[in-house]
Amino acid sequence: MMCQSNTLQGPDLHTGKWLQFPQLALRRRLGQLSCMSRPALKLRSWPLTILYYLLPFGALKPLTRVGWRPMSRVSLYKSVPTRLLSRAWGRLNQVELPTWLRKPVYSLYIWTFGVNMKEAAVEDLHHYRNLSEFFRRKLKPQSRPVCCYHSVISPSDGKILNFGQVKNCEVEQVKGVTYSLESFLGPCTSTEDMQFSQTSSHNSFQNQLVTKEGNELYHCVIYLAPGDYHCFHSPTDWRVSHRRHFPGSLMSVNPGVARWIKELFCHNERVVLSGDWKHGFFSLTAVGATNVGSIRIYFDRDLRTNSPCYSKGSYNDFSFITNNNKEGIPMRKGEHLGEFNLGSTIVLIFEAPKDFNFHLKPGQKIRFGEALGSL
């Protein structure tokens, strides 16, 4: 009986070892992963995380029982080398296409994104030597009449994501998702070129931007889709006195992603142009995005965006006010200001009297030259 008991226990123990073996191996492997540096750990976790989200029926969920945790979708997306991909895309855009290939390539893009080539100054697709020239195509002057009866016009074609008064130093990038005004524009400076009011330090950042008593701070966010006209213009008569360039990520600014990632506009590379108009502070910010590493400001030849190396959280300031130029860069309403390489986002933040009204609806399509708001 004793021998029979021993022979019965043997297979049970042997089976138990086999059942434990995968878990022990996984724990040992995960222990090795935990000792890796953070960049190496992210790299090694990528394949498993991607499979975790892609495979059906929770195929990799058993891994979570032995201590493995997938990267969050946001972390996974943030770890994608979007700057490198955007630089590669930028170089691809500069490659001259054979004449016979231009029409089929551009026609596919036109069909995919709904581009209206009847508005283009040059409708002949063979005229555009590469994708970059096609993206930056000019329009016929009569296709975008500039509204003369409203004080602020749309600087570009696009979709209105959000607009209204800035409250509690927070701005909505899309409905219900906010970002910090100070993180977006950067800290105030005490130099004359920024035209900030000299208020006491206990006042909020928002109050420091308001230069005239009784005024409020307003914002408007315009999303440019890949099929939209890619140039942007001056939204009003104003004076640009300062440029601040924030190197950063180049994540997509699609409204769906903007709802997903908090403070997306603060993470992405952007160029802030600030100055003043007849009612006080005025700023226009061009926000970069995936495949839109190139932000060009026509009067700023020193600006270089999407550089290979940058310090996270850093920014570069440049003043247009000098000893020889006390006025900065005067801009007229509708005047050409800059361009993107592909679709992106324009954010206007400006000071105006309390009776300023927007003539907009969230989500509406708008074209350059149409009214944004007036007094």
Side-chain angles (χ1 to χ4, degrees):
M1 291 294 292
M2 289 296 294
C3 292
Q4 185 179 7
S5 176
N6 288 336
T7 55
L8 287 174
Q9 287 176 0
D12 288 343
L13 289 171
H14 188 64
T15 304
K17 287 180 180 180
W18 276 106
L19 290 173
Q20 291 176 5
F21 176 75
Q23 291 193 5
L24 291 172
L26 280 170
R27 288 183 188 278
R28 190 177 299 113
R29 188 61 177 155
L30 292 168
Q32 293 173 1
L33 287 175
S34 65
C35 297
M36 289 183 176
S37 64
R38 187 175 295 272
L41 182 60
K42 278 187 176 181
L43 184 63
R44 298 297 292 272
S45 297
W46 255 43
L48 275 181
T49 300
I50 292 172
L51 289 173
Y52 179 84
Y53 289 121
L54 292 181
L55 291 179
F57 312 120
L60 293 185
K61 279 192 175 181
L63 290 178
T64 61
R65 298 172 188 168
V66 293
W68 179 75
R69 291 291 180 269
M71 299 166 63
S72 69
R73 288 180 174 88
V74 173
S75 298
L76 180 64
Y77 180 62
K78 285 182 177 180
S79 63
V80 175
T82 52
R83 292 180 64 85
L84 178 62
L85 293 174
S86 297
R87 282 195 297 275
W89 175 254
R91 292 188 179 182
L92 179 63
N93 287 348
Q94 300 295 330
V95 176
E96 185 169 343
L97 297 176
T99 306
W100 63 268
L101 189 58
R102 294 174 189 177
K103 188 170 183 178
V105 169
Y106 300 147
S107 296
L108 177 62
Y109 187 91
I110 290 168
W111 177 80
T112 303
F113 296 107
V115 179
N116 184 3
M117 285 302 293
K118 292 183 178 180
E119 298 176 337
V122 180
E123 297 184 36
D124 182 12
L125 297 181
H126 296 99
H127 169 79
Y128 304 101
R129 294 174 297 176
N130 52 47
L131 286 166
S132 181
E133 286 188 2
F134 178 73
F135 294 147
R136 295 181 286 107
R137 64 193 176 277
K138 304 300 181 184
L139 298 181
K140 297 172 182 174
Q142 64 272 21
S143 66
R144 295 291 187 278
V146 175
C147 179
C148 300
Y149 304 105
H150 294 83
S151 53
V152 183
I153 62 169
S154 175
S156 65
D157 289 8
K159 179 181 179 181
I160 300 296
L161 294 188
N162 221 305
F163 62 91
Q165 282 191 20
V166 177
K167 297 180 180 179
N168 302 319
C169 213
E170 293 280 329
V171 182
E172 281 191 322
Q173 58 190 29
V174 291
K175 187 68 174 178
V177 181
T178 64
Y179 57 91
S180 163
L181 182 64
E182 186 169 7
S183 297
F184 182 69
L185 294 179
C188 293
T189 68
S190 59
T191 55
E192 293 180 358
D193 58 294
M194 287 297 285
Q195 299 297 318
F196 291 136
S197 59
Q198 299 300 313
T199 54
S200 58
S201 60
H202 67 270
N203 284 348
S204 71
F205 178 83
Q206 179 177 336
N207 291 336
Q208 293 179 52
L209 297 179
V210 179
T211 61
K212 297 181 180 180
E213 188 175 353
N215 282 359
E216 298 288 346
L217 207 62
Y218 297 87
H219 74 98
C220 183
V221 183
I222 305 170
Y223 167 68
L224 288 73
D228 288 327
Y229 169 55
H230 290 17
C231 297
F232 52 93
H233 301 247
S234 175
T236 191
D237 296 332
W238 64 307
R239 181 184 63 162
V240 183
S241 56
H242 187 270
R243 180 257 288 163
R244 177 170 283 169
H245 171 218
F246 291 84
S249 301
L250 287 172
M251 293 179 282
S252 171
V253 291
N254 181 282
V257 178
R259 293 186 189 94
W260 191 34
I261 299 178
K262 184 177 173 63
E263 297 202 333
L264 171 63
F265 296 162
C266 297
H267 292 301
N268 270 16
E269 181 160 16
R270 59 199 181 277
V271 176
V272 181
L273 299 177
S274 59
D276 60 283
W277 69 319
K278 60 184 177 181
H279 298 297
F281 173 78
F282 197 97
S283 74
L284 180 149
T285 302
V287 183
T290 307
N291 298 334
V292 197
S294 175
I295 302 172
R296 183 183 174 193
I297 305 298
Y298 294 139
F299 58 75
D300 189 354
R301 295 182 179 180
D302 296 324
L303 178 64
R304 297 290 183 272
T305 57
N306 197 11
S307 299
C309 299
Y310 75 100
S311 299
K312 188 175 181 179
S314 65
Y315 58 85
N316 305 306
D317 285 329
F318 183 85
S319 176
F320 297 110
I321 294 181
T322 64
N323 292 331
N324 299 325
N325 180 11
K326 300 292 185 181
E327 297 299 320
I329 308 295
M331 297 297 301
R332 303 294 296 175
K333 185 196 296 182
E335 186 177 351
H336 281 273
L337 184 53
E339 63 188 37
F340 292 112
N341 193 37
L342 201 60
S344 195
T345 299
I346 294 287
V347 180
L348 301 180
I349 298 175
F350 58 93
E351 175 185 359
K354 292 182 178 179
D355 58 348
F356 181 87
N357 293 310
F358 285 102
H359 306 294
L360 303 171
K361 294 179 180 179
Q364 80 170 70
K365 292 286 291 182
I366 197 165
R367 303 202 304 176
F368 155 63
E370 294 179 348
L372 286 183
S374 61
L375 298 170

